[in-house]
Amino acid sequence: MRNRPFRLALIAACSLLFAPAGLLAEEGREAERVSRASALAPGHGAVILSVRSELYLLDELNVWFVREGGSIANQEDLVRFTRSQSALVFGNHTTKYKVRAYALPAGRWRLAGHGVRCEKVPAPDERCLVDVKVLGIGQTVRFPSRGYDEDAPVFEVRAGALTNAGDWGLTARNTIEWSQIPADKARRWERRLDALPDGPPVEVPEGYRLRYGLSPRSYQDDKNRRY
């Protein structure tokens, strides 16, 4: 039994060694939650952000951001924010705002992609292909997903400051579109972090702004199955 910790460490190392390269490079680290200004590490700022979806989510939705000047192949430069559909709630509840505060290193963070069941950030305009089984038969299905290029929205994080990054909504058009978080939804976190000065506003090209609002919708895959 004395060698058990060594064996466990060896197994873990081997699993990383033989894991798919794309998964290691492009899964990204989940953004770290923060609840008070004093918890920020040096060189970090706070971000208020919400992720929503008008599509019923069959699995967790990831929205990725990459730090400008960095690479999606570097875990330190790639961060993901998530939203999931509760199994205990009937219908689609993900159109409701879910505002959280996060700590991020200082820098400019650009929208890189979104995806459900994607093992990596999709390339610009790419869709993830996911192998699923329906009634025991394996099929490859395109799930909601897309990568974005250099013209995507950017929010800036400044050390010791608070950035309201807004709401990022997945639409039935398979796009992530930005809108402001209603004041009453953001107020809780602004009060908790009111010791921090405000960061700059989000830079959002017109084509990425939410046009029609989000309405609960079922999801229809490319095999015409509806969920």
Side-chain angles (χ1 to χ4, degrees), residues 10-225:
L10 182 61
I11 291 171
C14 289
S15 66
L16 288 175
L17 180 62
F18 294 104
L23 179 59
L24 286 176
E26 299 186 54
E27 184 184 35
R29 57 191 173 85
E30 188 167 1
E32 179 184 353
R33 298 268 296 275
V34 66
S35 59
R36 62 187 190 280
S38 60
L40 289 175
H44 286 61
V47 175
I48 297 174
L49 185 143
S50 169
V51 172
R52 295 190 296 155
S53 172
E54 69 177 351
L55 291 177
Y56 184 88
L57 295 177
L58 300 174
D59 210 326
E60 187 174 72
L61 167 66
N62 290 317
V63 182
W64 287 282
F65 290 81
V66 63
R67 183 157 45 178
E68 284 193 345
S71 168
I72 59 175
N74 184 347
Q75 292 280 16
E76 295 304 311
D77 294 330
L78 185 67
V79 67
R80 58 187 169 90
F81 301 90
T82 63
R83 184 70 187 264
S84 58
Q85 171 73 36
S86 174
L88 302 178
V89 177
F90 180 78
N92 180 10
H93 78 295
T94 58
T95 55
K96 297 180 180 178
Y97 292 95
K98 195 171 185 178
V99 184
R100 296 288 185 267
Y102 303 90
L104 282 181
R108 288 168 54 83
W109 295 83
R110 175 179 59 80
L111 176 65
H114 75 269
V116 176
R117 295 192 189 177
C118 290
E119 292 186 344
K120 64 183 182 66
V121 180
D125 295 324
E126 178 189 27
R127 294 284 297 277
C128 288
L129 298 177
V130 181
D131 293 329
V132 298
K133 283 191 175 182
V134 179
L135 300 177
I137 301 174
Q139 298 185 33
T140 300
V141 178
R142 290 179 175 86
F143 271 43
S145 50
R146 176 173 289 175
Y148 299 95
D149 55 26
E150 299 293 332
D151 71 347
V154 172
F155 64 80
E156 183 179 348
V157 178
R158 292 180 180 172
L162 173 63
T163 296
N164 186 333
D167 177 73
W168 305 79
L170 173 62
T171 74
R173 298 176 293 281
N174 188 38
T175 57
I176 290 291
E177 298 182 9
W178 177 90
S179 62
Q180 293 183 346
I181 300 172
D184 61 318
K185 305 294 183 183
R187 190 172 296 124
R188 171 192 175 192
W189 293 105
E190 289 174 339
R191 286 175 175 171
R192 285 192 178 190
L193 299 165
D194 63 358
L196 302 176
D198 292 337
V202 187
E203 301 170 23
V204 186
E206 190 61 34
Y208 286 90
R209 293 178 180 271
L210 186 65
R211 289 170 281 176
Y212 307 114
L214 297 182
S215 301
R217 300 175 187 269
S218 58
Y219 172 64
Q220 182 173 328
D221 65 23
D222 56 339
K223 305 293 184 182
N224 294 319
R225 293 186 296 260

